[in-house]
Amino acid sequence: SNSFVESAAADTLVLTQVSAREINGNLLSLLETGSDESYANTVTLEALENIQASGNIHSIYTVGERDGQMVYLSVPDGETAVGEAVEDIYVAEMRNAMNSSGYVTNKIEKADGASYITAYAPVLDRNGAVVGVLGIDYHAENIVETLHKIVMAIVTIGVLLVIVSVVISVIMASRISAGLKTVNNKVSDLVSNNGDLTQKIQVNSNDE
């Protein structure tokens, strides 16, 4: 199961890195609190919407550092304003992406009824300086469905093995019991026939 998730995570990271190159870093660097209606935000939002429409993306957003704090910049969800603080649980991952070629969570997250893998990639300006981070939450329902099928198959095989083991145990116990009963009957016959040792004991069993 880990291989499925790791493979999907790697693909999500590549998608995010490629998409980050479509974001105009110079415009992104201009965004500050209150610039929701600015030209820079309008162009960036359009780019984000185009990226989201082209793939199986749950959500897409850009973030950046302003006055030492990680804040949201352009977010095409109609709710998040430019300059809104990023939740603390995501800050470390985003800073990691700003200081590297990208970061991906090698796990499937669940929120609002959706399953997704999150990846971050740095956004550069024309001089190659990091001015922000692009975040993508990529749908992972297909992966979850596949993993569920694998788990169900494993459980089914396990149940079948238990049933087969029980059946074999019952058969073996029945044969051993039958053999012991035959021996017991012959011993009783020997006793009742004044110790006639010429009688043969026949046991039809493959067990020792």
Side-chain angles (χ1 to χ4, degrees):
S1 61
N2 286 339
S3 61
F4 277 98
V5 176
E6 289 173 359
S7 176
D11 292 341
T12 302
L13 177 58
V14 171
L15 169 66
T16 307
Q17 290 170 328
V18 171
S19 298
R21 299 170 190 162
E22 302 300 316
I23 305 300
N24 188 318
N26 292 323
L27 293 179
L28 191 68
S29 66
L30 298 176
L31 297 180
E32 300 286 348
T33 301
S35 58
D36 299 80
E37 304 300 326
S38 66
Y39 171 77
N41 192 41
T42 300
V43 173
T44 305
L45 286 174
E46 183 177 351
L48 294 174
E49 289 168 353
N50 289 336
I51 294 170
Q52 185 168 17
S54 67
N56 192 26
I57 297 173
H58 174 64
S59 56
I60 187 169
Y61 42 89
T62 54
V63 299
E65 190 169 0
R66 299 291 185 271
D67 297 323
Q69 182 181 28
M70 293 298 292
V71 300
Y72 287 103
L73 299 177
S74 287
V75 183
D77 63 357
E79 298 178 0
T80 306
V82 176
E84 188 173 319
V86 171
E87 297 86 342
D88 291 340
I89 59 174
Y90 304 124
V91 171
E93 297 173 350
M94 293 174 175
R95 289 191 185 282
N96 190 320
M98 290 189 74
N99 297 316
S100 65
S101 61
Y103 178 86
V104 63
T105 57
N106 286 306
K107 60 182 179 179
I108 296 177
E109 306 279 358
K110 290 186 178 182
D112 302 324
S115 299
Y116 55 86
I117 294 175
T118 300
Y120 305 101
V123 177
L124 311 179
D125 63 14
R126 68 180 63 179
N127 297 317
V130 177
V131 295
V133 168
L134 171 67
I136 287 180
D137 298 334
Y138 193 77
H139 277 297
E141 276 78 9
N142 291 339
I143 302 172
V144 172
E145 183 178 350
T146 299
L147 291 176
H148 178 70
K149 289 180 179 178
I150 292 174
V151 170
M152 289 304 296
I154 292 174
V155 170
T156 300
I157 292 173
V159 170
L160 290 175
L161 288 175
V162 169
I163 292 174
V164 170
S165 297
V166 170
V167 171
I168 291 176
S169 296
V170 170
I171 293 174
M172 294 293 290
S174 177
R175 289 183 176 179
I176 292 172
S177 177
L180 291 175
K181 184 176 181 181
T182 300
V183 171
N184 184 59
N185 290 337
K186 289 299 181 179
V187 169
S188 296
D189 289 344
L190 287 173
V191 172
S192 62
N193 288 313
N194 299 318
D196 182 3
L197 300 179
T198 62
Q199 296 188 75
K200 295 182 179 180
I201 299 176
Q202 173 140 12
V203 179
N204 296 320
S205 173
N206 294 325
D207 303 304
E208 295 293 336

PDB file of all heavy atoms in Angstrom, residues 135-148:
ATOM      1  N   GLY A 135       0.756  25.638  -3.581  1.00  0.00           N
ATOM      2  CA  GLY A 135       0.284  24.423  -2.925  1.00  0.00           C
ATOM      3  C   GLY A 135      -0.830  23.778  -3.733  1.00  0.00           C
ATOM      4  O   GLY A 135      -1.710  24.476  -4.252  1.00  0.00           O
ATOM      5  N   ILE A 136      -0.771  22.475  -3.869  1.00  0.00           N
ATOM      6  CA  ILE A 136      -1.811  21.733  -4.584  1.00  0.00           C
ATOM      7  C   ILE A 136      -2.255  20.542  -3.740  1.00  0.00           C
ATOM      8  O   ILE A 136      -1.419  19.771  -3.263  1.00  0.00           O
ATOM      9  CB  ILE A 136      -1.316  21.241  -5.963  1.00  0.00           C
ATOM     10  CG1 ILE A 136      -1.211  22.415  -6.935  1.00  0.00           C
ATOM     11  CG2 ILE A 136      -2.248  20.158  -6.516  1.00  0.00           C
ATOM     12  CD1 ILE A 136      -0.733  22.015  -8.330  1.00  0.00           C
ATOM     13  N   ASP A 137      -3.567  20.436  -3.558  1.00  0.00           N
ATOM     14  CA  ASP A 137      -4.155  19.258  -2.912  1.00  0.00           C
ATOM     15  C   ASP A 137      -4.747  18.410  -4.030  1.00  0.00           C
ATOM     16  O   ASP A 137      -5.766  18.780  -4.631  1.00  0.00           O
ATOM     17  CB  ASP A 137      -5.250  19.668  -1.920  1.00  0.00           C
ATOM     18  CG  ASP A 137      -4.713  20.525  -0.783  1.00  0.00           C
ATOM     19  OD1 ASP A 137      -3.519  20.397  -0.473  1.00  0.00           O
ATOM     20  OD2 ASP A 137      -5.495  21.311  -0.217  1.00  0.00           O
ATOM     21  N   TYR A 138      -4.079  17.291  -4.303  1.00  0.00           N
ATOM     22  CA  TYR A 138      -4.469  16.464  -5.453  1.00  0.00           C
ATOM     23  C   TYR A 138      -5.389  15.328  -5.015  1.00  0.00           C
ATOM     24  O   TYR A 138      -5.109  14.619  -4.047  1.00  0.00           O
ATOM     25  CB  TYR A 138      -3.212  15.890  -6.117  1.00  0.00           C
ATOM     26  CG  TYR A 138      -3.456  15.287  -7.477  1.00  0.00           C
ATOM     27  CD1 TYR A 138      -3.619  16.089  -8.593  1.00  0.00           C
ATOM     28  CD2 TYR A 138      -3.517  13.910  -7.633  1.00  0.00           C
ATOM     29  CE1 TYR A 138      -3.843  15.540  -9.848  1.00  0.00           C
ATOM     30  CE2 TYR A 138      -3.745  13.345  -8.881  1.00  0.00           C
ATOM     31  CZ  TYR A 138      -3.908  14.168  -9.987  1.00  0.00           C
ATOM     32  OH  TYR A 138      -4.139  13.608 -11.223  1.00  0.00           O
ATOM     33  N   HIS A 139      -6.497  15.174  -5.741  1.00  0.00           N
ATOM     34  CA  HIS A 139      -7.475  14.135  -5.402  1.00  0.00           C
ATOM     35  C   HIS A 139      -6.829  12.754  -5.362  1.00  0.00           C
ATOM     36  O   HIS A 139      -6.051  12.384  -6.243  1.00  0.00           O
ATOM     37  CB  HIS A 139      -8.607  14.126  -6.425  1.00  0.00           C
ATOM     38  CG  HIS A 139      -9.666  15.153  -6.156  1.00  0.00           C
ATOM     39  ND1 HIS A 139     -10.446  15.130  -5.020  1.00  0.00           N
ATOM     40  CD2 HIS A 139     -10.062  16.240  -6.872  1.00  0.00           C
ATOM     41  CE1 HIS A 139     -11.281  16.160  -5.046  1.00  0.00           C
ATOM     42  NE2 HIS A 139     -11.071  16.849  -6.144  1.00  0.00           N
ATOM     43  N   ALA A 140      -7.166  11.982  -4.325  1.00  0.00           N
ATOM     44  CA  ALA A 140      -6.586  10.641  -4.178  1.00  0.00           C
ATOM     45  C   ALA A 140      -7.663   9.573  -3.980  1.00  0.00           C
ATOM     46  O   ALA A 140      -7.390   8.491  -3.467  1.00  0.00           O
ATOM     47  CB  ALA A 140      -5.626  10.625  -2.994  1.00  0.00           C
ATOM     48  N   GLU A 141      -8.887   9.869  -4.423  1.00  0.00           N
ATOM     49  CA  GLU A 141      -9.964   8.899  -4.248  1.00  0.00           C
ATOM     50  C   GLU A 141      -9.663   7.572  -4.944  1.00  0.00           C
ATOM     51  O   GLU A 141      -9.969   6.489  -4.429  1.00  0.00           O
ATOM     52  CB  GLU A 141     -11.284   9.459  -4.794  1.00  0.00           C
ATOM     53  CG  GLU A 141     -12.038  10.342  -3.816  1.00  0.00           C
ATOM     54  CD  GLU A 141     -11.449  11.741  -3.719  1.00  0.00           C
ATOM     55  OE1 GLU A 141     -10.561  12.068  -4.528  1.00  0.00           O
ATOM     56  OE2 GLU A 141     -11.870  12.509  -2.829  1.00  0.00           O
ATOM     57  N   ASN A 142      -9.047   7.640  -6.145  1.00  0.00           N
ATOM     58  CA  ASN A 142      -8.734   6.408  -6.881  1.00  0.00           C
ATOM     59  C   ASN A 142      -7.747   5.542  -6.101  1.00  0.00           C
ATOM     60  O   ASN A 142      -7.848   4.313  -6.089  1.00  0.00           O
ATOM     61  CB  ASN A 142      -8.154   6.740  -8.257  1.00  0.00           C
ATOM     62  CG  ASN A 142      -9.191   7.346  -9.181  1.00  0.00           C
ATOM     63  OD1 ASN A 142     -10.390   7.173  -8.966  1.00  0.00           O
ATOM     64  ND2 ASN A 142      -8.752   8.050 -10.196  1.00  0.00           N
ATOM     65  N   ILE A 143      -6.786   6.213  -5.449  1.00  0.00           N
ATOM     66  CA  ILE A 143      -5.797   5.478  -4.662  1.00  0.00           C
ATOM     67  C   ILE A 143      -6.467   4.822  -3.463  1.00  0.00           C
ATOM     68  O   ILE A 143      -6.212   3.658  -3.145  1.00  0.00           O
ATOM     69  CB  ILE A 143      -4.683   6.426  -4.178  1.00  0.00           C
ATOM     70  CG1 ILE A 143      -4.007   7.091  -5.373  1.00  0.00           C
ATOM     71  CG2 ILE A 143      -3.654   5.673  -3.342  1.00  0.00           C
ATOM     72  CD1 ILE A 143      -3.048   8.174  -4.996  1.00  0.00           C
ATOM     73  N   VAL A 144      -7.337   5.577  -2.792  1.00  0.00           N
ATOM     74  CA  VAL A 144      -8.045   5.052  -1.626  1.00  0.00           C
ATOM     75  C   VAL A 144      -8.890   3.840  -2.025  1.00  0.00           C
ATOM     76  O   VAL A 144      -8.922   2.828  -1.319  1.00  0.00           O
ATOM     77  CB  VAL A 144      -8.954   6.137  -1.006  1.00  0.00           C
ATOM     78  CG1 VAL A 144      -9.832   5.540   0.088  1.00  0.00           C
ATOM     79  CG2 VAL A 144      -8.113   7.274  -0.442  1.00  0.00           C
ATOM     80  N   GLU A 145      -9.557   3.948  -3.186  1.00  0.00           N
ATOM     81  CA  GLU A 145     -10.394   2.837  -3.664  1.00  0.00           C
ATOM     82  C   GLU A 145      -9.548   1.597  -3.947  1.00  0.00           C
ATOM     83  O   GLU A 145      -9.922   0.475  -3.604  1.00  0.00           O
ATOM     84  CB  GLU A 145     -11.148   3.263  -4.926  1.00  0.00           C
ATOM     85  CG  GLU A 145     -12.102   2.204  -5.457  1.00  0.00           C
ATOM     86  CD  GLU A 145     -12.864   2.668  -6.683  1.00  0.00           C
ATOM     87  OE1 GLU A 145     -12.803   3.873  -7.018  1.00  0.00           O
ATOM     88  OE2 GLU A 145     -13.519   1.823  -7.318  1.00  0.00           O
ATOM     89  N   THR A 146      -8.386   1.816  -4.578  1.00  0.00           N
ATOM     90  CA  THR A 146      -7.496   0.699  -4.887  1.00  0.00           C
ATOM     91  C   THR A 146      -6.985   0.030  -3.616  1.00  0.00           C
ATOM     92  O   THR A 146      -6.959  -1.196  -3.494  1.00  0.00           O
ATOM     93  CB  THR A 146      -6.291   1.183  -5.716  1.00  0.00           C
ATOM     94  OG1 THR A 146      -6.768   1.742  -6.952  1.00  0.00           O
ATOM     95  CG2 THR A 146      -5.339   0.030  -6.030  1.00  0.00           C
ATOM     96  N   LEU A 147      -6.572   0.857  -2.648  1.00  0.00           N
ATOM     97  CA  LEU A 147      -6.085   0.319  -1.371  1.00  0.00           C
ATOM     98  C   LEU A 147      -7.184  -0.458  -0.649  1.00  0.00           C
ATOM     99  O   LEU A 147      -6.930  -1.492  -0.038  1.00  0.00           O
ATOM    100  CB  LEU A 147      -5.576   1.463  -0.487  1.00  0.00           C
ATOM    101  CG  LEU A 147      -4.303   2.167  -0.956  1.00  0.00           C
ATOM    102  CD1 LEU A 147      -3.979   3.339  -0.030  1.00  0.00           C
ATOM    103  CD2 LEU A 147      -3.140   1.207  -0.995  1.00  0.00           C
ATOM    104  N   HIS A 148      -8.414   0.051  -0.747  1.00  0.00           N
ATOM    105  CA  HIS A 148      -9.541  -0.638  -0.105  1.00  0.00           C
ATOM    106  C   HIS A 148      -9.742  -2.019  -0.723  1.00  0.00           C
ATOM    107  O   HIS A 148      -9.969  -3.006  -0.007  1.00  0.00           O
ATOM    108  CB  HIS A 148     -10.812   0.192  -0.272  1.00  0.00           C
ATOM    109  CG  HIS A 148     -12.037  -0.445   0.310  1.00  0.00           C
ATOM    110  ND1 HIS A 148     -12.233  -0.590   1.657  1.00  0.00           N
ATOM    111  CD2 HIS A 148     -13.127  -1.000  -0.294  1.00  0.00           C
ATOM    112  CE1 HIS A 148     -13.392  -1.193   1.878  1.00  0.00           C
ATOM    113  NE2 HIS A 148     -13.950  -1.462   0.706  1.00  0.00           N
TER     114      HIS A 148
END
